[in-house]
Amino acid sequence: IVVCVVEGGGSNYSHPDLIDNHWTNAAEVPNDGMDNDGNGYVDDFNGWNPSSQNDNIPGGGHGTQVSGMIGAVGDNMQGVTGINWDVKIMQVTYSSLQESDVIEAYTYPYIMRKEYNESGGGRGAFVVATNSSWGLDGGDPNDAPLWCAFYDTLGTVGILSCGATSNQNLNVDAVGDLPTA
């Protein structure tokens, strides 16, 4: 089972609580400048960074915390434990909250799950969920129809989309928020 953490600042996936559950693309040869698995992404061994068009994932603190809540390994005499000790965490970054950049980030787990489905598990990744612990305060879904529709697209291949809501005490149904609205 793979959960894709979509995070602007990345995640320190080499953290002692995370490294054993870090997802890697086994069909890709790291840093050889080629798309070994034919999925349209060159050197996507450690996930995907759309800004740099490679798998260079920054070691962001927030993404590390989110990844830890999802899948930090337990019983290892280290810091914390996650909800699922036996999960692979795919790391994907986004470059901005512009609709096109958000869709570009979500496209990677979509492609990987679609390839998994089409190959009977021989290619891609069994991505079951994306986690987006970020958002656009006051974001109106009517201003981002493609972004919002992409959650349905992820669902067509079997991916559940999880998103955090605003960090403020407000009614997102009245003032808006993306992705939760």
Side-chain angles (χ1 to χ4, degrees):
I1 293 175
V2 179
V3 174
C4 178
V5 174
V6 180
E7 181 69 36
S11 171
N12 179 11
Y13 58 79
S14 62
H15 185 285
D17 274 338
L18 297 177
I19 191 64
D20 289 343
N21 285 346
H22 172 58
W23 174 85
T24 57
N25 183 354
E28 192 69 36
V29 176
N31 303 315
D32 70 348
M34 298 175 58
D35 179 13
N36 305 106
D37 60 357
N39 67 356
Y41 297 90
V42 174
D43 290 335
D44 59 318
F45 183 76
N46 286 307
W48 192 245
N49 181 332
S51 297
S52 58
Q53 295 291 295
N54 60 33
D55 69 348
N56 183 16
I57 306 295
H62 185 260
T64 304
Q65 294 167 356
V66 169
S67 296
M69 285 184 259
I70 294 168
V73 175
D75 284 339
N76 64 354
M77 303 306 288
Q78 297 294 322
V80 300
T81 61
I83 293 168
N84 187 343
W85 298 0
D86 190 23
V87 64
K88 292 299 179 188
I89 302 171
M90 174 188 284
Q91 301 293 336
V92 173
T93 65
Y94 63 88
S95 51
S96 81
L97 293 179
Q98 291 184 9
E99 189 173 37
S100 60
D101 291 336
V102 171
I103 292 169
E104 186 176 20
Y106 283 124
T107 298
Y108 184 76
Y110 169 79
I111 293 290
M112 295 304 282
R113 176 60 189 263
K114 186 172 185 236
E115 289 205 358
Y116 180 90
N117 293 351
E118 292 173 353
S119 70
R123 294 186 325 272
F126 186 51
V127 181
V128 299
T130 60
N131 182 86
S132 303
S133 186
W134 46 267
L136 184 59
D137 289 343
D140 185 344
N142 291 322
D143 295 334
L146 299 176
W147 173 353
C148 294
F150 207 79
Y151 293 119
D152 291 332
T153 301
L154 289 164
T156 65
V157 294
I159 298 175
L160 175 69
S161 299
C162 302
T165 193
S166 175
N167 288 327
Q168 301 173 40
N169 184 15
L170 50 85
N171 182 347
V172 296
D173 291 330
V175 298
D177 184 71
L178 288 170
T180 53

